[in-house]
Amino acid sequence: MKTAVKVRGLTKRYGDVQAVGGIDLDIDAGEVFAILGPNGAGKSTTVEILEGFRTRDAGEVSVLGLDPDRPTREWRSRIGVVLQTANDMTEATVRETVRHFASYYPVSNDPDQVIEQVGLTDKADKRIRQLSGGQRRRLDVALGVIGNPELLFLDEPTTGFDPEARRQFWDLIRHLADQGTTIVLTTHYLDEVEALANRVTVVAKGRVVAEGEPATLGGRANAKARVSWSDEGERKTLETDTPTRAVLELTRRFDGEVPELTVTRPTLEEMYLQLIEAPA
Ligand code: ADP
């Protein structure tokens, strides 16, 4: 497995604020990697350092084999960054804008194909100011992928989307991932992580507090199960490592069906809240 991003001991301070306090990351080529954390956790600072837009105080960083502090043109053309660039070109049409950005790259994707991928074909001749917020964001993604990047950074991509636009956007990300693009996604949406990410790292107060697959994050899969049922109209709940045995005992006690039985493990959200609230 090739490594796309490797980070060791990354730190960044703004005056008195330790924005990033020693982060390690290993992102494999071809995966969708999420950086999850509350506002102010240091996600954007980290990603901007990886993109070469911000300098670091200390640590080792390698992105597609190069230190982003010493970027080359060739390296830059292999990386896609989704910025809110389209906002200053509001009189241009979608197609004009995508073609214009394509001309920056030695080898680019086909503009009309990219417009199709982001679901803007029927808006291709519309001016940017005529697009909705979600459509503009999709245009931003089109501009991020027009250079056919190996590695795509998406910083809180679906903030402000309605549910349908989010689903469409997720399909687009899956499509890019299927084509082999490595995707680094920062988000504070847990459902987005569950829907898209192969792996997730949880950042709080500038540090990694957990890392793993969304399904097993923080020992979620092995956490105590909660068995709950109704007993003469009263809700009963039991936390146990052996839910199967508990249900078997309940089955015996009720001599068959257990009223309103549920067996659950902590949700990703519960796990996440525990992780970010734990004392450093
Ligand atoms: P996130 O993306 O997780 O919300 P950020 O990386 O934006 O976190 O911010 C981490 C911390 O650094 C916050 O406390 C934020 O206020 C501070 N910070 C970010 N950018 C700057 C800056 N340019 N100057 C001063 N402080 C900053």
Side-chain angles (χ1 to χ4, degrees), residues 166-210:
R166 293 183 79 209
R167 299 278 151 181
Q168 286 176 357
F169 188 84
W170 290 354
D171 285 343
L172 167 63
I173 300 308
R174 290 192 190 107
H175 176 73
L176 294 170
D178 287 346
Q179 291 183 326
T181 312
T182 307
I183 294 169
V184 179
L185 167 81
T186 70
T187 184
H188 52 254
Y189 293 123
L190 292 143
D191 55 349
E192 195 150 283
V193 169
E194 288 202 290
L196 295 177
N198 303 113
R199 281 194 308 139
V200 53
T201 194
V202 180
V203 177
K205 302 186 188 98
R207 288 177 183 279
V208 173
V209 293

Short mmCIF file of all heavy atoms in Angstrom, two decimals, residues 166-210:
data_model
loop_
_atom_site.label_atom_id
_atom_site.label_comp_id
_atom_site.label_asym_id
_atom_site.label_seq_id
_atom_site.Cartn_x
_atom_site.Cartn_y
_atom_site.Cartn_z
N ARG A 166 -26.62 16.93 -0.11
CA ARG A 166 -25.57 16.17 0.57
C ARG A 166 -25.46 14.77 -0.02
O ARG A 166 -24.37 14.29 -0.26
CB ARG A 166 -25.85 16.06 2.06
CG ARG A 166 -25.77 17.39 2.77
CD ARG A 166 -25.98 17.21 4.24
NE ARG A 166 -24.77 16.70 4.87
CZ ARG A 166 -24.75 15.95 5.96
NH1 ARG A 166 -25.87 15.59 6.53
NH2 ARG A 166 -23.62 15.55 6.47
N ARG A 167 -26.63 14.11 -0.21
CA ARG A 167 -26.60 12.75 -0.79
C ARG A 167 -25.93 12.77 -2.15
O ARG A 167 -25.12 11.89 -2.46
CB ARG A 167 -28.02 12.19 -0.97
CG ARG A 167 -28.80 12.06 0.27
CD ARG A 167 -28.45 10.77 0.99
NE ARG A 167 -28.67 11.02 2.40
CZ ARG A 167 -28.47 10.16 3.37
NH1 ARG A 167 -28.01 8.96 3.10
NH2 ARG A 167 -28.69 10.49 4.61
N GLN A 168 -26.27 13.73 -2.98
CA GLN A 168 -25.68 13.80 -4.32
C GLN A 168 -24.18 14.03 -4.23
O GLN A 168 -23.40 13.46 -4.97
CB GLN A 168 -26.33 14.93 -5.12
CG GLN A 168 -27.73 14.59 -5.58
CD GLN A 168 -28.39 15.77 -6.29
OE1 GLN A 168 -27.83 16.85 -6.39
NE2 GLN A 168 -29.60 15.55 -6.77
N PHE A 169 -23.81 14.87 -3.28
CA PHE A 169 -22.40 15.17 -3.10
C PHE A 169 -21.64 13.92 -2.65
O PHE A 169 -20.54 13.63 -3.12
CB PHE A 169 -22.25 16.30 -2.07
CG PHE A 169 -20.87 16.81 -1.96
CD1 PHE A 169 -20.39 17.76 -2.85
CD2 PHE A 169 -20.01 16.32 -0.99
CE1 PHE A 169 -19.10 18.22 -2.77
CE2 PHE A 169 -18.72 16.78 -0.90
CZ PHE A 169 -18.26 17.73 -1.79
N TRP A 170 -22.25 13.17 -1.74
CA TRP A 170 -21.62 11.93 -1.28
C TRP A 170 -21.42 10.96 -2.44
O TRP A 170 -20.39 10.29 -2.52
CB TRP A 170 -22.47 11.26 -0.20
CG TRP A 170 -22.50 12.00 1.10
CD1 TRP A 170 -21.77 13.11 1.44
CD2 TRP A 170 -23.30 11.69 2.25
NE1 TRP A 170 -22.06 13.50 2.71
CE2 TRP A 170 -23.00 12.66 3.23
CE3 TRP A 170 -24.23 10.70 2.53
CZ2 TRP A 170 -23.60 12.64 4.49
CZ3 TRP A 170 -24.84 10.68 3.79
CH2 TRP A 170 -24.52 11.64 4.75
N ASP A 171 -22.42 10.88 -3.33
CA ASP A 171 -22.28 10.00 -4.50
C ASP A 171 -21.09 10.42 -5.35
O ASP A 171 -20.34 9.59 -5.85
CB ASP A 171 -23.55 10.03 -5.37
CG ASP A 171 -24.69 9.25 -4.72
OD1 ASP A 171 -24.42 8.44 -3.82
OD2 ASP A 171 -25.85 9.48 -5.12
N LEU A 172 -20.93 11.74 -5.48
CA LEU A 172 -19.80 12.27 -6.26
C LEU A 172 -18.47 11.87 -5.62
O LEU A 172 -17.55 11.43 -6.31
CB LEU A 172 -19.94 13.79 -6.34
CG LEU A 172 -18.73 14.58 -6.83
CD1 LEU A 172 -18.39 14.21 -8.26
CD2 LEU A 172 -19.01 16.07 -6.73
N ILE A 173 -18.38 12.00 -4.32
CA ILE A 173 -17.14 11.65 -3.61
C ILE A 173 -16.84 10.15 -3.78
O ILE A 173 -15.70 9.75 -4.02
CB ILE A 173 -17.23 12.03 -2.12
CG1 ILE A 173 -17.47 13.53 -1.95
CG2 ILE A 173 -15.97 11.60 -1.36
CD1 ILE A 173 -16.51 14.41 -2.70
N ARG A 174 -17.90 9.33 -3.66
CA ARG A 174 -17.71 7.87 -3.83
C ARG A 174 -17.22 7.56 -5.23
O ARG A 174 -16.37 6.71 -5.43
CB ARG A 174 -19.03 7.14 -3.57
CG ARG A 174 -19.44 7.16 -2.13
CD ARG A 174 -20.59 6.17 -1.89
NE ARG A 174 -21.13 6.36 -0.57
CZ ARG A 174 -22.30 6.93 -0.30
NH1 ARG A 174 -23.08 7.36 -1.29
NH2 ARG A 174 -22.70 7.07 0.94
N HIS A 175 -17.77 8.28 -6.19
CA HIS A 175 -17.38 8.08 -7.58
C HIS A 175 -15.89 8.40 -7.76
O HIS A 175 -15.14 7.63 -8.38
CB HIS A 175 -18.26 8.96 -8.47
CG HIS A 175 -17.89 8.93 -9.91
ND1 HIS A 175 -18.15 7.84 -10.71
CD2 HIS A 175 -17.27 9.84 -10.70
CE1 HIS A 175 -17.71 8.09 -11.93
NE2 HIS A 175 -17.16 9.30 -11.94
N LEU A 176 -15.45 9.51 -7.18
CA LEU A 176 -14.03 9.89 -7.28
C LEU A 176 -13.15 8.87 -6.58
O LEU A 176 -12.08 8.51 -7.07
CB LEU A 176 -13.81 11.28 -6.67
CG LEU A 176 -14.47 12.44 -7.41
CD1 LEU A 176 -14.38 13.71 -6.57
CD2 LEU A 176 -13.83 12.66 -8.76
N ALA A 177 -13.62 8.40 -5.43
CA ALA A 177 -12.85 7.40 -4.67
C ALA A 177 -12.74 6.11 -5.48
O ALA A 177 -11.68 5.48 -5.52
CB ALA A 177 -13.49 7.15 -3.31
N ASP A 178 -13.84 5.71 -6.13
CA ASP A 178 -13.83 4.49 -6.96
C ASP A 178 -12.82 4.60 -8.09
O ASP A 178 -12.26 3.61 -8.54
CB ASP A 178 -15.21 4.22 -7.57
CG ASP A 178 -16.19 3.71 -6.53
OD1 ASP A 178 -15.73 3.32 -5.43
OD2 ASP A 178 -17.40 3.72 -6.80
N GLN A 179 -12.60 5.82 -8.55
CA GLN A 179 -11.63 6.03 -9.64
C GLN A 179 -10.19 6.08 -9.12
O GLN A 179 -9.27 6.29 -9.89
CB GLN A 179 -11.94 7.33 -10.37
CG GLN A 179 -13.23 7.25 -11.17
CD GLN A 179 -13.47 8.53 -11.95
OE1 GLN A 179 -13.12 9.62 -11.50
NE2 GLN A 179 -14.05 8.40 -13.13
N GLY A 180 -10.03 5.97 -7.79
CA GLY A 180 -8.68 5.88 -7.23
C GLY A 180 -8.14 7.16 -6.61
O GLY A 180 -6.99 7.20 -6.18
N THR A 181 -8.95 8.21 -6.58
CA THR A 181 -8.49 9.47 -5.96
C THR A 181 -8.41 9.29 -4.44
O THR A 181 -9.34 8.79 -3.83
CB THR A 181 -9.50 10.61 -6.28
OG1 THR A 181 -9.79 10.59 -7.66
CG2 THR A 181 -8.96 11.96 -5.87
N THR A 182 -7.30 9.71 -3.85
CA THR A 182 -7.19 9.75 -2.39
C THR A 182 -7.92 11.01 -1.92
O THR A 182 -7.71 12.09 -2.48
CB THR A 182 -5.72 9.84 -1.96
OG1 THR A 182 -4.99 8.79 -2.60
CG2 THR A 182 -5.56 9.74 -0.46
N ILE A 183 -8.75 10.86 -0.91
CA ILE A 183 -9.55 12.00 -0.47
C ILE A 183 -9.34 12.25 1.02
O ILE A 183 -9.47 11.32 1.83
CB ILE A 183 -11.04 11.77 -0.80
CG1 ILE A 183 -11.20 11.75 -2.32
CG2 ILE A 183 -11.91 12.85 -0.16
CD1 ILE A 183 -12.53 11.29 -2.82
N VAL A 184 -8.99 13.47 1.35
CA VAL A 184 -8.86 13.87 2.76
C VAL A 184 -9.97 14.87 3.03
O VAL A 184 -10.06 15.92 2.41
CB VAL A 184 -7.48 14.52 3.03
CG1 VAL A 184 -7.39 14.95 4.49
CG2 VAL A 184 -6.35 13.57 2.67
N LEU A 185 -10.82 14.47 3.96
CA LEU A 185 -12.05 15.20 4.20
C LEU A 185 -12.07 15.69 5.63
O LEU A 185 -11.91 14.88 6.56
CB LEU A 185 -13.17 14.16 3.98
CG LEU A 185 -14.58 14.42 4.40
CD1 LEU A 185 -15.25 15.27 3.32
CD2 LEU A 185 -15.33 13.09 4.52
N THR A 186 -12.21 16.99 5.86
CA THR A 186 -12.45 17.42 7.24
C THR A 186 -13.93 17.71 7.38
O THR A 186 -14.58 18.21 6.46
CB THR A 186 -11.66 18.69 7.62
OG1 THR A 186 -12.21 19.80 6.92
CG2 THR A 186 -10.19 18.57 7.32
N THR A 187 -14.47 17.35 8.52
CA THR A 187 -15.90 17.52 8.71
C THR A 187 -16.22 17.51 10.20
O THR A 187 -15.44 17.04 11.01
CB THR A 187 -16.69 16.39 7.99
OG1 THR A 187 -18.09 16.65 8.11
CG2 THR A 187 -16.38 15.02 8.55
N HIS A 188 -17.38 18.08 10.55
CA HIS A 188 -17.88 17.84 11.90
C HIS A 188 -19.19 17.07 11.86
O HIS A 188 -19.89 16.98 12.84
CB HIS A 188 -17.96 19.13 12.73
CG HIS A 188 -18.71 20.23 12.08
ND1 HIS A 188 -18.08 21.32 11.54
CD2 HIS A 188 -20.01 20.40 11.84
CE1 HIS A 188 -18.98 22.13 11.01
NE2 HIS A 188 -20.16 21.59 11.17
N TYR A 189 -19.49 16.50 10.69
CA TYR A 189 -20.70 15.68 10.56
C TYR A 189 -20.37 14.20 10.69
O TYR A 189 -19.62 13.66 9.87
CB TYR A 189 -21.37 15.90 9.21
CG TYR A 189 -21.94 17.27 9.01
CD1 TYR A 189 -21.54 18.05 7.93
CD2 TYR A 189 -22.90 17.79 9.88
CE1 TYR A 189 -22.07 19.31 7.72
CE2 TYR A 189 -23.42 19.04 9.69
CZ TYR A 189 -23.01 19.81 8.60
OH TYR A 189 -23.53 21.04 8.40
N LEU A 190 -20.98 13.56 11.67
CA LEU A 190 -20.70 12.14 11.90
C LEU A 190 -21.28 11.25 10.82
O LEU A 190 -20.68 10.25 10.43
CB LEU A 190 -21.26 11.74 13.26
CG LEU A 190 -20.46 12.43 14.36
CD1 LEU A 190 -21.34 12.84 15.50
CD2 LEU A 190 -19.35 11.52 14.81
N ASP A 191 -22.47 11.63 10.31
CA ASP A 191 -23.08 10.77 9.28
C ASP A 191 -22.24 10.81 8.01
O ASP A 191 -22.15 9.81 7.29
CB ASP A 191 -24.54 11.15 9.02
CG ASP A 191 -24.72 12.61 8.65
OD1 ASP A 191 -23.76 13.40 8.81
OD2 ASP A 191 -25.83 12.97 8.21
N GLU A 192 -21.58 11.94 7.78
CA GLU A 192 -20.71 12.04 6.60
C GLU A 192 -19.52 11.09 6.73
O GLU A 192 -19.11 10.44 5.77
CB GLU A 192 -20.22 13.48 6.49
CG GLU A 192 -19.63 13.84 5.18
CD GLU A 192 -19.86 15.30 4.89
OE1 GLU A 192 -20.99 15.66 4.50
OE2 GLU A 192 -18.93 16.10 5.08
N VAL A 193 -18.99 11.01 7.93
CA VAL A 193 -17.87 10.10 8.19
C VAL A 193 -18.33 8.66 7.98
O VAL A 193 -17.66 7.86 7.31
CB VAL A 193 -17.33 10.29 9.62
CG1 VAL A 193 -16.36 9.19 9.99
CG2 VAL A 193 -16.67 11.66 9.75
N GLU A 194 -19.50 8.32 8.53
CA GLU A 194 -19.99 6.94 8.39
C GLU A 194 -20.28 6.61 6.94
O GLU A 194 -20.05 5.49 6.50
CB GLU A 194 -21.26 6.74 9.23
CG GLU A 194 -20.94 6.69 10.71
CD GLU A 194 -22.00 5.97 11.52
OE1 GLU A 194 -23.10 6.54 11.64
OE2 GLU A 194 -21.72 4.87 12.04
N ALA A 195 -20.77 7.60 6.19
CA ALA A 195 -21.15 7.34 4.80
C ALA A 195 -19.93 7.21 3.89
O ALA A 195 -19.96 6.47 2.92
CB ALA A 195 -22.07 8.45 4.29
N LEU A 196 -18.86 7.94 4.19
CA LEU A 196 -17.79 8.07 3.20
C LEU A 196 -16.44 7.49 3.59
O LEU A 196 -15.71 7.01 2.73
CB LEU A 196 -17.57 9.55 2.86
CG LEU A 196 -18.70 10.29 2.17
CD1 LEU A 196 -18.31 11.75 1.99
CD2 LEU A 196 -19.05 9.67 0.84
N ALA A 197 -16.10 7.60 4.88
CA ALA A 197 -14.69 7.39 5.22
C ALA A 197 -14.31 5.93 5.41
O ALA A 197 -15.04 5.17 6.03
CB ALA A 197 -14.35 8.18 6.50
N ASN A 198 -13.16 5.55 4.87
CA ASN A 198 -12.56 4.25 5.19
C ASN A 198 -11.96 4.30 6.58
O ASN A 198 -12.03 3.35 7.34
CB ASN A 198 -11.45 3.88 4.20
CG ASN A 198 -11.93 3.87 2.77
OD1 ASN A 198 -11.52 4.69 1.97
ND2 ASN A 198 -12.84 2.96 2.46
N ARG A 199 -11.32 5.43 6.86
CA ARG A 199 -10.73 5.62 8.19
C ARG A 199 -10.97 7.04 8.66
O ARG A 199 -11.12 7.95 7.85
CB ARG A 199 -9.23 5.32 8.16
CG ARG A 199 -8.96 3.81 8.17
CD ARG A 199 -7.53 3.49 8.49
NE ARG A 199 -6.64 4.22 7.63
CZ ARG A 199 -5.50 4.78 8.05
NH1 ARG A 199 -5.14 4.70 9.30
NH2 ARG A 199 -4.74 5.41 7.18
N VAL A 200 -10.94 7.20 9.97
CA VAL A 200 -11.20 8.52 10.54
C VAL A 200 -10.23 8.76 11.69
O VAL A 200 -9.88 7.83 12.42
CB VAL A 200 -12.68 8.64 11.01
CG1 VAL A 200 -13.07 7.51 11.94
CG2 VAL A 200 -12.94 9.98 11.68
N THR A 201 -9.77 9.99 11.79
CA THR A 201 -9.00 10.37 12.96
C THR A 201 -9.78 11.48 13.66
O THR A 201 -10.32 12.37 13.00
CB THR A 201 -7.56 10.78 12.57
OG1 THR A 201 -6.76 10.83 13.72
CG2 THR A 201 -7.48 12.09 11.86
N VAL A 202 -9.90 11.35 14.96
CA VAL A 202 -10.65 12.35 15.72
C VAL A 202 -9.65 13.29 16.38
O VAL A 202 -8.74 12.85 17.08
CB VAL A 202 -11.55 11.70 16.80
CG1 VAL A 202 -12.31 12.76 17.57
CG2 VAL A 202 -12.51 10.71 16.16
N VAL A 203 -9.81 14.58 16.11
CA VAL A 203 -8.90 15.60 16.63
C VAL A 203 -9.67 16.47 17.61
O VAL A 203 -10.80 16.88 17.33
CB VAL A 203 -8.35 16.46 15.48
CG1 VAL A 203 -7.46 17.56 16.01
CG2 VAL A 203 -7.59 15.60 14.49
N ALA A 204 -9.07 16.70 18.77
CA ALA A 204 -9.64 17.64 19.74
C ALA A 204 -8.50 18.41 20.36
O ALA A 204 -7.47 17.83 20.69
CB ALA A 204 -10.44 16.89 20.82
N LYS A 205 -8.68 19.71 20.47
CA LYS A 205 -7.66 20.59 21.06
C LYS A 205 -6.27 20.34 20.46
O LYS A 205 -5.27 20.25 21.18
CB LYS A 205 -7.61 20.42 22.58
CG LYS A 205 -8.95 20.70 23.26
CD LYS A 205 -8.81 20.66 24.78
CE LYS A 205 -10.16 20.75 25.46
NZ LYS A 205 -10.69 19.45 25.87
N GLY A 206 -6.22 20.18 19.15
CA GLY A 206 -4.93 20.06 18.47
C GLY A 206 -4.24 18.73 18.59
O GLY A 206 -3.09 18.59 18.19
N ARG A 207 -4.96 17.72 19.12
CA ARG A 207 -4.35 16.40 19.26
C ARG A 207 -5.28 15.30 18.73
O ARG A 207 -6.49 15.46 18.76
CB ARG A 207 -4.07 16.08 20.73
CG ARG A 207 -2.94 16.87 21.30
CD ARG A 207 -2.73 16.57 22.77
NE ARG A 207 -1.67 17.43 23.28
CZ ARG A 207 -0.37 17.18 23.13
NH1 ARG A 207 0.04 16.10 22.53
NH2 ARG A 207 0.52 18.02 23.62
N VAL A 208 -4.66 14.19 18.31
CA VAL A 208 -5.45 13.04 17.89
C VAL A 208 -5.92 12.30 19.14
O VAL A 208 -5.10 11.91 19.97
CB VAL A 208 -4.61 12.10 17.00
CG1 VAL A 208 -5.38 10.81 16.70
CG2 VAL A 208 -4.21 12.80 15.70
N VAL A 209 -7.23 12.14 19.29
CA VAL A 209 -7.74 11.41 20.46
C VAL A 209 -8.19 10.00 20.11
O VAL A 209 -8.36 9.17 21.00
CB VAL A 209 -8.87 12.18 21.19
CG1 VAL A 209 -8.31 13.45 21.82
CG2 VAL A 209 -10.02 12.51 20.27
N ALA A 210 -8.39 9.71 18.83
CA ALA A 210 -8.73 8.34 18.43
C ALA A 210 -8.56 8.22 16.93
O ALA A 210 -8.63 9.22 16.21
CB ALA A 210 -10.17 8.00 18.80
#
